[in-house]
Amino acid sequence: MSGFSLDLSDDVVNVRDWVRVFARDVIRPAGAEWDEREQTPWPVIQEAAKIGLYSLDFFATQWFEPSGLALPVAFEEIFWGDAGIGLSIVGTGLAAAALSAGGTQEQMGEWLPQLFGTADDVKLGAFCASEPDAGSDVGAIRTRAVRQPSGDWLLSGVKTWATNGGIADVHIVVASVDPDLGTRGQAGFIVPPGTPGLSMGQKFRKHGIRASHTAEVILDDVRLPASCLLGGAEKLEARLAGAREGRRSGEQAAMRTFETTRPSVAAMAVGIARAAYEYARDYAGEREQFGRRIGENQAVAFLLAEMATRVDAARLLTWRAAWMARNGRPFERAEGSMSKLVAGENAVWVSEQAIQILGGAGYTREHPVERFHRDAKIFTIFEGTSEIQRLIIGRAVTGLPVR
């Protein structure tokens, strides 16, 4: 392939190095504290906003970088620093992706800046799709959006597992407008700050990513103007009409958002795996047992070799998917799901092996590898479980309706 290269452009390298310094000097030193506190790390988010890392400009600029690699590279560095704090910094990006994927130009112009706020007045966004009875099965979403004679919409239901849910300034909510059509009868809605009827339910205490706020969102007759329907009424009606006639009319709001963000989520998992591998490697180079460093033992060296190889393999799958997405190449073999599946499973495996290399020390909170392991597990669950990724890949490679 003429001109093919894996060299990162100077712009991407500069972003990587800039984010790496922030991750090393600000995020990583704060990781253990905010994991213990299980609270949103506002001081760190504000520091990120001050340097322009938490901002609409950063996400927009990196999203449109020609190679498609800028965001995955940046996310790897952020999550190398700490996954819980990292998700607090990038979590608003999921709401931004939903808004960008389904919104009109006018909606994006009005609401994208309000998701992030400014360096002096930081805001948060939340994307609300999952429900108590509708996780992987997004077709089971029960939150209803009913159009009123006035043209307004009335939303009622309960969302769960929402990052920044209830504390966000702007919520993007997926609701069913025609339950008989399943996923194709769903639409996204913008819920502005201070809208009556929206409240936070249970805040979840989690196994990992504990610095990231996760909660239920209660929607009790939330009234929204027609302008808050993502994409507008004309687009929705055309899609619903096509679905009723049995025509393919595109993916619904939640799936479109997840497909867009899978390579970025994979990059987060790569960052955790790299952090665990590097910590175990450095430990093995210093720790002595039986008169020599444990890294000189073939059993440990081979394990580190496998860890390093898996980290690089996951990164390459992630870069491929990100490049394809940016350059308009369809995921005909579910390349986005491949990246997320491999990176998530690897993060769990690599971080577990890091604990094994450290032995008893790795099982304590004196070393960060136990936190890396707790944080890694979510990447086999959220935004599509590993089983759902295999289902998507299986359908793509066989061409059959695998169930």
Side-chain angles (χ1 to χ4, degrees):
M1 293 178 63
S2 176
F4 176 77
S5 174
L6 284 173
D7 288 333
L8 298 175
S9 69
D10 290 343
D11 288 342
V12 175
V13 169
N14 289 337
V15 168
R16 180 198 66 192
D17 293 347
W18 169 61
V19 177
R20 180 174 293 176
V21 169
F22 185 81
R24 181 194 67 202
D25 296 345
V26 181
I27 296 177
R28 177 161 285 193
E33 174 189 350
W34 290 99
D35 176 72
E36 290 286 348
R37 292 175 66 166
E38 298 191 55
Q39 296 174 352
T40 300
W42 286 106
V44 184
I45 299 173
Q46 288 163 349
E47 288 300 311
K50 287 178 183 177
I51 68 167
L53 178 58
Y54 183 84
S55 69
L56 175 59
D57 285 345
F58 171 77
F59 280 86
T61 301
Q62 307 317 316
W63 180 259
F64 290 108
E65 185 274 327
S67 72
L69 300 183
L71 270 185
V73 166
F75 283 6
E76 178 180 333
E77 298 302 328
I78 292 170
F79 280 70
W80 171 88
D82 180 73
I85 293 175
L87 198 57
S88 288
I89 292 173
V90 309
T92 294
L94 187 59
L99 182 54
S100 299
T104 64
Q105 291 296 322
E106 292 76 13
Q107 287 171 333
M108 287 187 279
E110 179 179 0
W111 293 106
L112 280 174
Q114 295 189 51
L115 288 175
F116 294 91
T118 66
D120 296 323
D121 186 19
V122 172
K123 306 293 185 183
L124 296 177
F127 179 62
C128 306
S130 294
E131 297 183 4
D133 295 317
S136 296
D137 182 11
V138 294
I141 283 177
R142 294 181 179 177
T143 295
R144 287 296 313 277
V146 179
R147 186 156 29 197
Q148 305 300 295
S150 63
D152 290 351
W153 290 87
L154 208 60
L155 273 64
S156 295
V158 178
K159 294 296 182 179
T160 195
W161 316 120
T163 299
N164 298 332
I167 65 170
D169 298 273
V170 179
H171 292 73
I172 307 297
V173 176
V174 177
S176 176
V177 298
D178 189 336
D180 293 337
L181 296 177
T183 58
R184 290 186 291 171
Q186 295 171 2
F189 294 85
I190 304 163
V191 183
T195 299
L198 185 146
S199 61
M200 187 179 82
Q202 177 185 4
K203 177 186 174 182
F204 295 104
R205 301 191 67 186
K206 305 187 299 294
H207 177 65
I209 55 166
R210 302 199 301 188
S212 173
H213 175 95
T214 309
E216 290 180 328
V217 174
I218 312 299
L219 301 152
D220 184 9
D221 287 341
V222 173
R223 183 174 291 273
L224 301 174
S227 60
C228 288
L229 168 65
L230 276 184
E234 185 176 343
K235 183 177 178 181
L236 174 63
E237 287 303 327
R239 182 159 57 84
L240 294 178
R244 290 176 186 128
E245 294 170 7
R247 291 187 276 114
R248 294 290 300 174
S249 53
E251 292 181 302
Q252 53 78 44
M255 287 298 96
R256 187 165 56 245
T257 299
F258 293 148
E259 187 67 15
T260 301
T261 58
R262 275 181 188 131
S264 293
V265 174
M268 301 172 194
V270 173
I272 298 173
R274 191 184 107 215
Y277 155 69
E278 290 178 355
Y279 197 92
R281 176 201 63 195
D282 294 347
Y283 184 89
E286 298 172 0
R287 171 71 167 167
E288 290 191 4
Q289 288 285 279
F290 304 106
R292 62 182 179 184
R293 291 166 296 185
I294 64 172
E296 296 179 49
N297 296 317
Q298 195 176 88
V300 174
F302 279 14
L303 189 53
L304 288 167
E306 180 75 11
M307 294 161 73
T309 301
R310 290 196 183 201
V311 171
D312 280 12
R315 182 185 296 112
L316 287 171
L317 280 172
T318 299
W319 283 14
R320 179 183 69 170
W323 177 85
M324 290 177 69
R326 180 65 186 89
N327 288 278
R329 305 292 181 91
F331 290 160
E332 293 180 352
R333 300 180 65 248
E335 288 86 352
S337 290
M338 286 182 180
S339 69
K340 202 265 185 185
L341 171 65
V342 172
E345 300 267 311
N346 272 355
V348 173
W349 186 86
V350 170
S351 57
E352 182 177 4
Q353 304 318 307
I355 293 175
Q356 194 69 23
I357 289 173
L358 268 69
Y363 198 67
T364 71
R365 296 191 182 182
E366 298 300 313
H367 295 272
V369 291
E370 66 85 27
R371 186 171 78 252
F372 297 157
H373 187 51
R374 287 189 286 109
D375 290 342
K377 184 56 189 172
I378 193 61
F379 289 88
T380 68
I381 299 172
F382 76 169
E383 296 201 39
T385 64
S386 291
E387 291 73 25
I388 290 296
Q389 305 308 325
R390 290 186 174 96
L391 184 66
I392 293 169
I393 297 165
R395 288 172 177 170
V397 300
T398 65
L400 300 173
V402 180
R403 293 180 176 86

